[in-house]
Amino acid sequence: MLDRFITLKFNYLTPDEQLSRSREFLERMRTRRTVRDFDNKPVPFELIQNAIATANSAPSGANHQPWTFCVVSNRELKRKIRLAAEDEERENYQRRMKQEWLEAVHPLGTDWMKPHIEDAPYLIIVFAHSHGIRKDPATGAESTYKHYYVTESVGIAVGMLLASLHLAGLATLTHTPNPMGFLGEILNRPPNERGYVLIPVGYPAEGAKVPALTKKTVDEVMVVYE
Ligand code: IYR
């Protein structure tokens, strides 16, 4: 961990450069849409790896980086994950969830069927670590240590992951099948890791449709105190 300090290398930009980068980023990010219909066209692996490296550069509580990013392209594993996710979602849509939930998700046009989990060339499944485990190098004995702000840290990292994938010209779906215990079982994750989000990544299917959503304006969400 951090036991020394180095001088920050900070890239001061000219005001023009600041504005143009900021505007360009905004315009690009505004075109991001959650996609639910994927093509099976292959995706260069480096785009996935770079997005995960970007996410891994995110700030995290005590810099513990309490996350694992599982990348699944294997057909049988994708099928298993689809079937398990559909079992949970079928229960959600048909029995488990209240009318208010059904009404809230209705405009998105979703249902329990998740063919995109198999169609997308890659699934990135993010796991959050509830605590850390370290091994004593001398004795090999394992002990646990506490993580801080796990949900916040992983959320920030996932935001950076989605931004990287979008800027790389890829489409994503942030899917949180509830409950997500099956992800840890299928991917054989250790007990301190819990499923956080399942993200199919790829290109949109030809003619893919998205709901005609609008976003709140910046004035609705920003409160300025001068
Ligand atoms: N997880 C379900 C339903 C769903 C819930 C919310 I909250 C969304 O923003 C979108 C969908 C599904 O994926 O179908």
Side-chain angles (χ1 to χ4, degrees), residues 36 89 92-93 101 105 108 110-112 114 175-178:
R36 293 189 166 80
E89 295 289 21
N92 285 336
Y93 280 89
W101 183 90
V105 302
L108 306 174
T110 53
D111 60 30
W112 64 266
K114 305 297 174 193
H175 183 197
T176 52
N178 182 21

PDB file of all heavy atoms in Angstrom, residues 36 89 92-93 101 105 108 110-112 114 175-178, ligand 1:
ATOM      1  N   ARG A  36     -30.433  -3.755 -25.417  1.00  0.00           N
ATOM      2  CA  ARG A  36     -30.883  -5.093 -25.015  1.00  0.00           C
ATOM      3  C   ARG A  36     -30.906  -6.103 -26.154  1.00  0.00           C
ATOM      4  O   ARG A  36     -31.256  -7.257 -25.937  1.00  0.00           O
ATOM      5  CB  ARG A  36     -32.266  -5.008 -24.351  1.00  0.00           C
ATOM      6  CG  ARG A  36     -32.239  -4.291 -23.021  1.00  0.00           C
ATOM      7  CD  ARG A  36     -33.541  -4.380 -22.238  1.00  0.00           C
ATOM      8  NE  ARG A  36     -33.324  -3.970 -20.862  1.00  0.00           N
ATOM      9  CZ  ARG A  36     -33.258  -2.702 -20.449  1.00  0.00           C
ATOM     10  NH1 ARG A  36     -33.409  -1.722 -21.305  1.00  0.00           N
ATOM     11  NH2 ARG A  36     -33.033  -2.428 -19.164  1.00  0.00           N
ATOM     12  N   GLU A  89     -35.418 -13.957 -13.029  1.00  0.00           N
ATOM     13  CA  GLU A  89     -36.253 -12.884 -13.595  1.00  0.00           C
ATOM     14  C   GLU A  89     -37.690 -13.351 -13.829  1.00  0.00           C
ATOM     15  O   GLU A  89     -38.626 -12.574 -13.659  1.00  0.00           O
ATOM     16  CB  GLU A  89     -35.646 -12.335 -14.894  1.00  0.00           C
ATOM     17  CG  GLU A  89     -34.305 -11.634 -14.717  1.00  0.00           C
ATOM     18  CD  GLU A  89     -34.378 -10.281 -14.014  1.00  0.00           C
ATOM     19  OE1 GLU A  89     -35.360 -10.000 -13.297  1.00  0.00           O
ATOM     20  OE2 GLU A  89     -33.417  -9.499 -14.164  1.00  0.00           O
ATOM     21  N   ASN A  92     -39.268 -12.934 -10.664  1.00  0.00           N
ATOM     22  CA  ASN A  92     -39.489 -11.507 -10.398  1.00  0.00           C
ATOM     23  C   ASN A  92     -40.721 -10.994 -11.138  1.00  0.00           C
ATOM     24  O   ASN A  92     -41.590 -10.352 -10.544  1.00  0.00           O
ATOM     25  CB  ASN A  92     -38.285 -10.669 -10.855  1.00  0.00           C
ATOM     26  CG  ASN A  92     -37.108 -10.801  -9.908  1.00  0.00           C
ATOM     27  OD1 ASN A  92     -37.281 -11.131  -8.733  1.00  0.00           O
ATOM     28  ND2 ASN A  92     -35.903 -10.559 -10.412  1.00  0.00           N
ATOM     29  N   TYR A  93     -40.762 -11.264 -12.439  1.00  0.00           N
ATOM     30  CA  TYR A  93     -41.854 -10.709 -13.259  1.00  0.00           C
ATOM     31  C   TYR A  93     -43.191 -11.374 -12.953  1.00  0.00           C
ATOM     32  O   TYR A  93     -44.232 -10.730 -13.014  1.00  0.00           O
ATOM     33  CB  TYR A  93     -41.541 -10.854 -14.752  1.00  0.00           C
ATOM     34  CG  TYR A  93     -40.591  -9.790 -15.262  1.00  0.00           C
ATOM     35  CD1 TYR A  93     -39.216  -9.976 -15.214  1.00  0.00           C
ATOM     36  CD2 TYR A  93     -41.067  -8.589 -15.771  1.00  0.00           C
ATOM     37  CE1 TYR A  93     -38.333  -9.012 -15.674  1.00  0.00           C
ATOM     38  CE2 TYR A  93     -40.202  -7.612 -16.232  1.00  0.00           C
ATOM     39  CZ  TYR A  93     -38.833  -7.833 -16.179  1.00  0.00           C
ATOM     40  OH  TYR A  93     -37.984  -6.852 -16.630  1.00  0.00           O
ATOM     41  N   TRP A 101     -43.231  -2.117  -8.962  1.00  0.00           N
ATOM     42  CA  TRP A 101     -42.002  -2.461  -9.705  1.00  0.00           C
ATOM     43  C   TRP A 101     -42.355  -2.724 -11.168  1.00  0.00           C
ATOM     44  O   TRP A 101     -41.702  -2.214 -12.079  1.00  0.00           O
ATOM     45  CB  TRP A 101     -41.366  -3.699  -9.052  1.00  0.00           C
ATOM     46  CG  TRP A 101     -40.061  -4.157  -9.632  1.00  0.00           C
ATOM     47  CD1 TRP A 101     -38.807  -3.759  -9.249  1.00  0.00           C
ATOM     48  CD2 TRP A 101     -39.855  -5.151 -10.661  1.00  0.00           C
ATOM     49  NE1 TRP A 101     -37.840  -4.430  -9.976  1.00  0.00           N
ATOM     50  CE2 TRP A 101     -38.465  -5.285 -10.848  1.00  0.00           C
ATOM     51  CE3 TRP A 101     -40.708  -5.941 -11.444  1.00  0.00           C
ATOM     52  CZ2 TRP A 101     -37.906  -6.174 -11.768  1.00  0.00           C
ATOM     53  CZ3 TRP A 101     -40.145  -6.824 -12.370  1.00  0.00           C
ATOM     54  CH2 TRP A 101     -38.770  -6.932 -12.528  1.00  0.00           C
ATOM     55  N   VAL A 105     -40.810  -0.540 -14.373  1.00  0.00           N
ATOM     56  CA  VAL A 105     -39.953  -1.053 -15.454  1.00  0.00           C
ATOM     57  C   VAL A 105     -40.706  -1.178 -16.781  1.00  0.00           C
ATOM     58  O   VAL A 105     -40.077  -1.334 -17.833  1.00  0.00           O
ATOM     59  CB  VAL A 105     -39.251  -2.392 -15.082  1.00  0.00           C
ATOM     60  CG1 VAL A 105     -38.403  -2.229 -13.841  1.00  0.00           C
ATOM     61  CG2 VAL A 105     -40.233  -3.542 -14.921  1.00  0.00           C
ATOM     62  N   LEU A 108     -39.546   0.403 -20.063  1.00  0.00           N
ATOM     63  CA  LEU A 108     -38.302  -0.096 -20.656  1.00  0.00           C
ATOM     64  C   LEU A 108     -38.564  -1.276 -21.590  1.00  0.00           C
ATOM     65  O   LEU A 108     -37.692  -1.689 -22.354  1.00  0.00           O
ATOM     66  CB  LEU A 108     -37.314  -0.517 -19.552  1.00  0.00           C
ATOM     67  CG  LEU A 108     -37.031   0.576 -18.510  1.00  0.00           C
ATOM     68  CD1 LEU A 108     -36.166   0.031 -17.389  1.00  0.00           C
ATOM     69  CD2 LEU A 108     -36.350   1.779 -19.164  1.00  0.00           C
ATOM     70  N   THR A 110     -38.951  -4.392 -20.878  1.00  0.00           N
ATOM     71  CA  THR A 110     -38.214  -5.613 -20.518  1.00  0.00           C
ATOM     72  C   THR A 110     -39.177  -6.726 -20.124  1.00  0.00           C
ATOM     73  O   THR A 110     -40.326  -6.480 -19.756  1.00  0.00           O
ATOM     74  CB  THR A 110     -37.282  -5.345 -19.324  1.00  0.00           C
ATOM     75  OG1 THR A 110     -38.069  -4.771 -18.261  1.00  0.00           O
ATOM     76  CG2 THR A 110     -36.159  -4.387 -19.696  1.00  0.00           C
ATOM     77  N   ASP A 111     -38.703  -7.952 -20.191  1.00  0.00           N
ATOM     78  CA  ASP A 111     -39.444  -9.080 -19.612  1.00  0.00           C
ATOM     79  C   ASP A 111     -38.419 -10.080 -19.088  1.00  0.00           C
ATOM     80  O   ASP A 111     -37.222  -9.762 -19.053  1.00  0.00           O
ATOM     81  CB  ASP A 111     -40.423  -9.695 -20.619  1.00  0.00           C
ATOM     82  CG  ASP A 111     -39.722 -10.224 -21.856  1.00  0.00           C
ATOM     83  OD1 ASP A 111     -38.548 -10.640 -21.745  1.00  0.00           O
ATOM     84  OD2 ASP A 111     -40.331 -10.220 -22.939  1.00  0.00           O
ATOM     85  N   TRP A 112     -38.868 -11.272 -18.685  1.00  0.00           N
ATOM     86  CA  TRP A 112     -37.925 -12.201 -18.044  1.00  0.00           C
ATOM     87  C   TRP A 112     -36.968 -12.862 -19.030  1.00  0.00           C
ATOM     88  O   TRP A 112     -35.974 -13.450 -18.618  1.00  0.00           O
ATOM     89  CB  TRP A 112     -38.682 -13.266 -17.238  1.00  0.00           C
ATOM     90  CG  TRP A 112     -39.555 -14.172 -18.068  1.00  0.00           C
ATOM     91  CD1 TRP A 112     -40.876 -14.016 -18.327  1.00  0.00           C
ATOM     92  CD2 TRP A 112     -39.148 -15.381 -18.734  1.00  0.00           C
ATOM     93  NE1 TRP A 112     -41.329 -15.039 -19.127  1.00  0.00           N
ATOM     94  CE2 TRP A 112     -40.294 -15.898 -19.387  1.00  0.00           C
ATOM     95  CE3 TRP A 112     -37.946 -16.083 -18.837  1.00  0.00           C
ATOM     96  CZ2 TRP A 112     -40.262 -17.078 -20.136  1.00  0.00           C
ATOM     97  CZ3 TRP A 112     -37.913 -17.259 -19.586  1.00  0.00           C
ATOM     98  CH2 TRP A 112     -39.064 -17.741 -20.231  1.00  0.00           C
ATOM     99  N   LYS A 114     -33.955 -13.306 -21.517  1.00  0.00           N
ATOM    100  CA  LYS A 114     -32.679 -12.598 -21.635  1.00  0.00           C
ATOM    101  C   LYS A 114     -31.770 -13.216 -22.703  1.00  0.00           C
ATOM    102  O   LYS A 114     -30.629 -13.638 -22.413  1.00  0.00           O
ATOM    103  CB  LYS A 114     -31.961 -12.615 -20.254  1.00  0.00           C
ATOM    104  CG  LYS A 114     -32.803 -12.054 -19.100  1.00  0.00           C
ATOM    105  CD  LYS A 114     -33.140 -10.595 -19.285  1.00  0.00           C
ATOM    106  CE  LYS A 114     -34.087 -10.075 -18.220  1.00  0.00           C
ATOM    107  NZ  LYS A 114     -34.656  -8.764 -18.558  1.00  0.00           N
ATOM    108  N   HIS A 175     -27.149  -5.051 -16.157  1.00  0.00           N
ATOM    109  CA  HIS A 175     -28.218  -5.957 -15.739  1.00  0.00           C
ATOM    110  C   HIS A 175     -27.935  -6.428 -14.312  1.00  0.00           C
ATOM    111  O   HIS A 175     -26.832  -6.885 -14.019  1.00  0.00           O
ATOM    112  CB  HIS A 175     -28.264  -7.148 -16.720  1.00  0.00           C
ATOM    113  CG  HIS A 175     -29.371  -8.118 -16.446  1.00  0.00           C
ATOM    114  ND1 HIS A 175     -29.383  -9.386 -16.962  1.00  0.00           N
ATOM    115  CD2 HIS A 175     -30.513  -8.011 -15.714  1.00  0.00           C
ATOM    116  CE1 HIS A 175     -30.479 -10.017 -16.560  1.00  0.00           C
ATOM    117  NE2 HIS A 175     -31.176  -9.197 -15.801  1.00  0.00           N
ATOM    118  N   THR A 176     -28.948  -6.277 -13.455  1.00  0.00           N
ATOM    119  CA  THR A 176     -28.797  -6.739 -12.070  1.00  0.00           C
ATOM    120  C   THR A 176     -29.906  -7.738 -11.753  1.00  0.00           C
ATOM    121  O   THR A 176     -30.858  -7.394 -11.048  1.00  0.00           O
ATOM    122  CB  THR A 176     -28.848  -5.547 -11.093  1.00  0.00           C
ATOM    123  OG1 THR A 176     -30.027  -4.784 -11.380  1.00  0.00           O
ATOM    124  CG2 THR A 176     -27.639  -4.655 -11.215  1.00  0.00           C
ATOM    125  N   PRO A 177     -29.789  -8.954 -12.301  1.00  0.00           N
ATOM    126  CA  PRO A 177     -30.806  -9.957 -11.974  1.00  0.00           C
ATOM    127  C   PRO A 177     -30.797 -10.151 -10.469  1.00  0.00           C
ATOM    128  O   PRO A 177     -29.734 -10.184  -9.857  1.00  0.00           O
ATOM    129  CB  PRO A 177     -30.325 -11.219 -12.708  1.00  0.00           C
ATOM    130  CG  PRO A 177     -28.870 -11.006 -12.950  1.00  0.00           C
ATOM    131  CD  PRO A 177     -28.658  -9.528 -13.034  1.00  0.00           C
ATOM    132  N   ASN A 178     -31.975 -10.225  -9.885  1.00  0.00           N
ATOM    133  CA  ASN A 178     -32.059 -10.195  -8.422  1.00  0.00           C
ATOM    134  C   ASN A 178     -32.766 -11.457  -7.915  1.00  0.00           C
ATOM    135  O   ASN A 178     -33.864 -11.732  -8.368  1.00  0.00           O
ATOM    136  CB  ASN A 178     -32.869  -8.929  -8.059  1.00  0.00           C
ATOM    137  CG  ASN A 178     -32.993  -8.727  -6.584  1.00  0.00           C
ATOM    138  OD1 ASN A 178     -32.204  -9.252  -5.808  1.00  0.00           O
ATOM    139  ND2 ASN A 178     -34.008  -8.000  -6.179  1.00  0.00           N
TER     140      ASN A 178
HETATM  141  N1  IYR B   1     -33.881  -6.640 -13.694  1.00  0.00           N
HETATM  142  C1  IYR B   1     -35.078  -6.765 -14.520  1.00  0.00           C
HETATM  143  C2  IYR B   1     -36.013  -5.605 -14.429  1.00  0.00           C
HETATM  144  C3  IYR B   1     -35.448  -4.253 -14.513  1.00  0.00           C
HETATM  145  C4  IYR B   1     -35.404  -3.504 -13.365  1.00  0.00           C
HETATM  146  C5  IYR B   1     -34.935  -2.235 -13.414  1.00  0.00           C
HETATM  147  I1  IYR B   1     -34.989  -1.173 -11.682  1.00  0.00           I
HETATM  148  C6  IYR B   1     -34.470  -1.691 -14.639  1.00  0.00           C
HETATM  149  O1  IYR B   1     -33.984  -0.397 -14.698  1.00  0.00           O
HETATM  150  C7  IYR B   1     -34.527  -2.448 -15.787  1.00  0.00           C
HETATM  151  C8  IYR B   1     -35.020  -3.741 -15.705  1.00  0.00           C
HETATM  152  C9  IYR B   1     -34.705  -7.025 -15.967  1.00  0.00           C
HETATM  153  O2  IYR B   1     -33.540  -6.886 -16.344  1.00  0.00           O
HETATM  154  O3  IYR B   1     -35.572  -7.379 -16.747  1.00  0.00           O
END
